């Protein structure tokens, strides 16, 4: 079992910044990939960004140039730095982990992830 705990959500004005954290604990195995997804009210969950074990990254087009994913390996923690926030970034942000993967693996499909956090609310006001 793996536990993921997110933190850092909140209310921010458009143009502002937030940093989310996701700490993993439990049986993560030797290599894993992590990602952030989000879900806006009335919409399906969507991919935001992912990072592989060897720190390759990928981003949804809607957040490229504004969001940055990073990892602090010693703490089993992944961060999401969100800058230039827009009202359309509002939603519940979920952290996810795929365990026992190749070093370069990362995925944009939610089905490829094995464990999920409880989510943290991000609200961007106009």
């Amino acid at each position: 079992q793996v536990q993921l705990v997110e933190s850092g959500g909140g209310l921010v004005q458009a143009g502002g910044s937030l940093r989310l954290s996701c700490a993993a604990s439990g049986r993560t195995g030797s290599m894993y990939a992590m990602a952030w997804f989000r879900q806006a009210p009335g919409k399906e969950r969507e991919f935001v960004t992912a990072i592989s074990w060897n720190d390759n990254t990928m981003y949804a087009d809607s957040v490229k140039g504004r969001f940055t994913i990073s990892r602090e390996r010693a703490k089993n923690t992944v961060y999401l730095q969100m800058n230039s926030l827009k009202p359309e970034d509002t939603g519940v942000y979920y952290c996810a982990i795929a365990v026992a993967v190749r070093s370069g693996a990362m995925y944009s499909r939610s089905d490829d992830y094995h464990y999920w956090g409880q989510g943290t609310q991000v609200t961007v006001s106009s």
Side-chain angles (χ1 to χ4, degrees):
Q1 283 283 358
V2 175
Q3 294 78 42
L4 300 176
V5 178
E6 301 115 330
S7 60
L11 173 65
V12 64
Q13 288 189 329
S17 298
L18 281 175
R19 189 175 85 151
L20 307 183
S21 299
C22 175
S25 61
R27 305 181 70 152
T28 60
S30 58
M31 291 189 290
Y32 53 86
M34 296 187 74
W36 290 94
F37 289 75
R38 66 186 181 188
Q39 187 167 19
K43 295 188 176 181
E44 292 188 353
R45 189 174 299 187
E46 66 174 1
F47 171 76
V48 176
T49 181
I51 187 166
S52 68
W53 178 253
N54 61 2
D55 293 336
N56 289 329
T57 59
M58 63 176 176
Y59 296 90
D61 288 343
S62 59
V63 306
K64 279 181 183 176
R66 299 188 299 122
F67 289 12
T68 302
I69 189 171
S70 62
R71 178 202 301 269
E72 189 168 356
R73 200 180 299 278
K75 294 185 177 181
N76 279 348
T77 299
V78 167
Y79 303 98
L80 180 61
Q81 178 66 43
M82 304 185 293
N83 298 328
S84 302
L85 282 160
K86 304 175 181 180
E88 51 264 44
D89 294 318
T90 293
V92 178
Y93 281 68
Y94 297 93
C95 177
I97 187 170
V99 298
V101 300
R102 294 176 291 107
S103 62
M106 51 184 173
Y107 314 104
S108 60
R109 295 193 326 146
S110 59
D111 288 349
D112 290 319
Y113 291 89
H114 304 114
Y115 300 96
W116 293 79
Q118 80 287 353
T120 185
Q121 177 70 44
V122 172
T123 303
V124 184
S125 63
S126 57

